[in-house]
Amino acid sequence: MTVRLMQGNEACAEGAIAAGMRFFAGYPITPSTEIAEALAERLPQVGGKFIQMEDEIASMAAIIGASLAGVKSMTATSGPGFSLKQENLGFASFCEVPCVVVNVQRAGPSTGLPTSPAQGDVMQARWGTHGDHPIIALCPWSVREAFDLTVESFNLSEALRIPVILLTDEVVGHMRERVELPPAGELTLIDRKRPDGPRESYVPFRAGSDGVPLMADFGAGYRYHVTGLTHDEHGFPVSAGPVAGALLERLHAKLERRRDDLDRVATLEMEDAEFAVFAYGGAARSAAAAVRLARAEGLRAGLFRPQVIWPFPDRSVSRLAGKVRGVLTVEMNLGQLHAEVQRVVCGRVPVVHFGRVDGELPSPRDILAALKEVARSG
């Protein structure tokens, strides 16, 4: 076990290397730049490649190309850069190219407050690119979890042949904590499944029983055509409705098969809680402090914190609604996941939102005051 004082962005970089990432392409943007800076130093030390691209669009394209060549790949950015990555993110999703995109969120829209925290890209993470597409987004709340969920992002991406978004924020990215990093040998790492049969029989988009096709590396001798057009099992463009529909349904089905596994929630003081605070990322840290303050005053509150926010944890939120008298959603936005909580709770208990969009972290005292209002109405 290695003990270090680390920043969240640095932990993300170290987690990526521990997961086997050996190619990073990016463009400097606050508050994610430390990830690129750390990897510019660390990747050459482990035989990897770092490249600063001319822009965010090219960065996303570069990691797709590297992944097609067989290398675990990642990029990191923040709000405006995340917007620019969306078209190529859709390409990666449609062509089943595993890769990881880190978005260290800052206040927006547009240039906004570049050095201030926010959680305004939550819906963009799910729906930012066009068309129906599958996506996974994980959300850490601590420096150690930034490390752990970066590793898990690569595992999910490789296992499902899907781009995975690590959605952090300026608070998590820039804070420093004492972290105990696990030895490399204790980490569970997943690599994509590659073909080992005759090259002439390889069908690049023919799925196995898990809905995930085998993925050959470009240059390994397998015939492999990739296009952003709707394609058949051989990768060539088709316009037939049944083929197009079957492709999209398969892309979503491979994620739905893992829905229960992806429903990952951490809790604090929820065993006997009458009221729940739903929060994630940096905002959850203030929410945890508010829960402790509430307990000290005799209010039985608990923290409900999703670690995977897309797919949304419908099952766990539905169970939550059957156990508590009310839910307070705390976000650094105007209610992006609040609407999802309301959808799943479906009126069984009151759901109240508390949000900040002024570039400041919600304070525990303000959350406590909002929680008391929920208690009075519930």
Side-chain angles (χ1 to χ4, degrees), residues 120-196:
D121 303 347
V122 170
M123 281 296 167
Q124 188 186 26
R126 177 63 190 93
W127 298 110
T129 194
H130 53 285
D132 286 309
H133 64 285
I135 205 73
I136 298 174
L138 287 71
C139 193
W141 82 324
S142 68
V143 174
R144 171 59 195 264
E145 204 166 77
F147 177 93
D148 292 338
L149 293 191
T150 300
V151 173
E152 184 61 12
S153 292
F154 279 97
N155 284 345
L156 291 171
S157 180
E158 293 283 314
L160 293 172
R161 283 191 61 175
I162 189 173
V164 173
I165 298 167
L166 186 72
L167 203 59
T168 74
D169 54 66
E170 188 276 335
V171 171
V172 175
H174 280 164
M175 69 182 176
R176 286 177 168 82
E177 292 181 316
R178 179 184 182 275
V179 177
E180 294 182 357
L181 297 181
E186 292 184 4
L187 293 174
T188 298
L189 302 181
I190 296 174
D191 293 317
R192 66 194 67 173
K193 295 179 181 178
R194 292 175 167 86
D196 56 6

Side-chain angles (χ1 to χ4, degrees), residues 122-287:
V122 170
M123 281 296 167
Q124 188 186 26
R126 177 63 190 93
W127 298 110
T129 194
H130 53 285
D132 286 309
H133 64 285
I135 205 73
I136 298 174
L138 287 71
C139 193
W141 82 324
S142 68
V143 174
R144 171 59 195 264
E145 204 166 77
F147 177 93
D148 292 338
L149 293 191
T150 300
V151 173
E152 184 61 12
S153 292
F154 279 97
N155 284 345
L156 291 171
S157 180
E158 293 283 314
L160 293 172
R161 283 191 61 175
I162 189 173
V164 173
I165 298 167
L166 186 72
L167 203 59
T168 74
D169 54 66
E170 188 276 335
V171 171
V172 175
H174 280 164
M175 69 182 176
R176 286 177 168 82
E177 292 181 316
R178 179 184 182 275
V179 177
E180 294 182 357
L181 297 181
E186 292 184 4
L187 293 174
T188 298
L189 302 181
I190 296 174
D191 293 317
R192 66 194 67 173
K193 295 179 181 178
R194 292 175 167 86
D196 56 6
R199 293 173 181 175
E200 62 273 10
S201 64
Y202 177 58
V203 182
F205 294 99
R206 178 172 292 168
S209 58
D210 59 356
V212 182
L214 301 176
M215 187 174 183
D217 299 346
F218 267 30
Y222 292 86
R223 189 179 185 188
Y224 190 3
H225 186 266
V226 179
T227 176
L229 290 166
T230 298
H231 47 274
D232 60 17
E233 289 184 336
H234 294 274
F236 294 105
V238 294
S239 57
V243 177
L247 173 58
L248 275 175
E249 288 170 4
R250 178 180 67 77
L251 294 181
H252 284 270
K254 69 180 181 180
L255 200 57
E256 288 301 316
R257 286 188 180 94
R258 295 282 293 271
R259 189 75 185 233
D260 287 348
D261 175 56
L262 290 169
D263 193 315
R264 303 182 190 181
V265 172
T267 61
L268 174 69
E269 301 283 5
M270 282 300 303
E271 292 80 7
D272 64 342
E274 293 185 301
F275 300 94
V277 181
F278 177 102
Y280 53 93
R285 298 179 71 89
S286 285

Side-chain angles (χ1 to χ4, degrees), residues 84-107:
L84 290 170
K85 294 184 186 297
Q86 292 302 324
E87 183 178 1
N88 277 333
L89 190 59
F91 179 91
S93 179
F94 202 34
C95 298
E96 300 177 84
V97 183
C99 54
V100 173
V101 179
V102 183
N103 178 4
V104 186
Q105 297 168 94
R106 71 193 211 188

